[in-house]
Amino acid sequence: MTAVPQPSRSLTPLLVPLLAGGLAALALGVYGRVHTPTGFAVGVAGFSAALPMKAWLTTGAFVLAIVQVVSALSMWGKLGIAIPPAVHRWSGRLAFLLTIPVAFHCLYALGLQYDVPRVLAHSLLGCFFYGVFTAKLLALPKRDAPGWTLPVLGGLAFTALIGIWLTSSFWFFTAIGLKV
């Protein structure tokens, strides 16, 4: 009788991804706080102003994040339907790309703000999102990581993105309106 190898329970494979994710989040927060905000809007092509651009791009990322959750559930066999893994990969890539101009504008033009609780939560969630995203991408090739690694990191990224959307786009659409 031979012993069946058991999956790794060690957190060692996660040390580098989690450390890198933590450093990414910390670096963004520090930069956002010490950088003198320019107040200058960047990347608003096709939009009337920076706030509508940020609200709509974040909403696009939010919708794609829902696709991420559904496709992940399918890949893990939790839905009973087969969604091609490419849907998960490409929806994640597109969601991430939509966040880049938003994050760049937030950091460059506004910095990390803490005067208003909603804005503080938004700033911290943004830093957290990029930290968790970094950790998830670095954990992807780690075959010896615990089985819960990707679902937990993906869930945290999704939760952070929901919080970002609620403290920005949802606020914008309810306070300002559906402007483009």
Side-chain angles (χ1 to χ4, degrees):
M1 184 173 194
T2 60
V4 177
Q6 295 296 316
S8 171
R9 301 282 183 230
S10 171
L11 296 179
T12 305
L14 297 180
L15 289 179
V16 170
L18 293 176
L19 181 62
L23 289 174
L26 183 64
L28 289 171
V30 168
Y31 175 79
R33 194 65 212 127
V34 300
H35 165 73
T36 303
T38 65
F40 179 71
V42 292
V44 296
F47 294 95
S48 60
L51 283 178
M53 181 255 324
K54 290 168 47 177
W56 286 106
L57 291 181
T58 303
T59 298
F62 173 74
V63 169
L64 288 167
I66 293 170
V67 173
Q68 281 275 284
V69 169
V70 171
S71 61
L73 288 171
S74 172
M75 288 181 351
W76 289 88
K78 302 295 183 189
L79 293 183
I81 59 170
I83 297 175
V87 171
H88 186 77
R89 286 190 299 272
W90 281 101
S91 62
R93 290 170 182 156
L94 292 172
F96 179 76
L97 287 174
L98 288 177
T99 69
I100 296 296
V102 176
F104 179 76
H105 178 268
C106 288
L107 284 169
Y108 180 73
L110 306 173
L112 191 143
Q113 298 181 13
Y114 56 87
D115 299 345
V116 177
R118 175 190 64 80
V119 178
L120 172 62
H122 179 76
S123 295
L124 295 176
L125 284 166
C127 295
F128 180 73
F129 170 77
Y130 281 102
V132 169
F133 186 82
T134 299
K136 182 181 180 219
L137 287 185
L138 292 175
L140 276 171
K142 305 275 187 198
R143 300 289 176 218
D144 54 345
W148 51 262
T149 301
L150 294 179
V152 167
L153 292 176
L156 288 171
F158 178 74
T159 302
L161 195 54
I162 287 175
I164 291 167
W165 184 81
L166 287 170
T167 57
S168 62
S169 299
F170 180 76
W171 169 84
F172 178 81
F173 295 140
T174 56
I176 309 295
L178 294 175
K179 294 184 177 188
V180 180

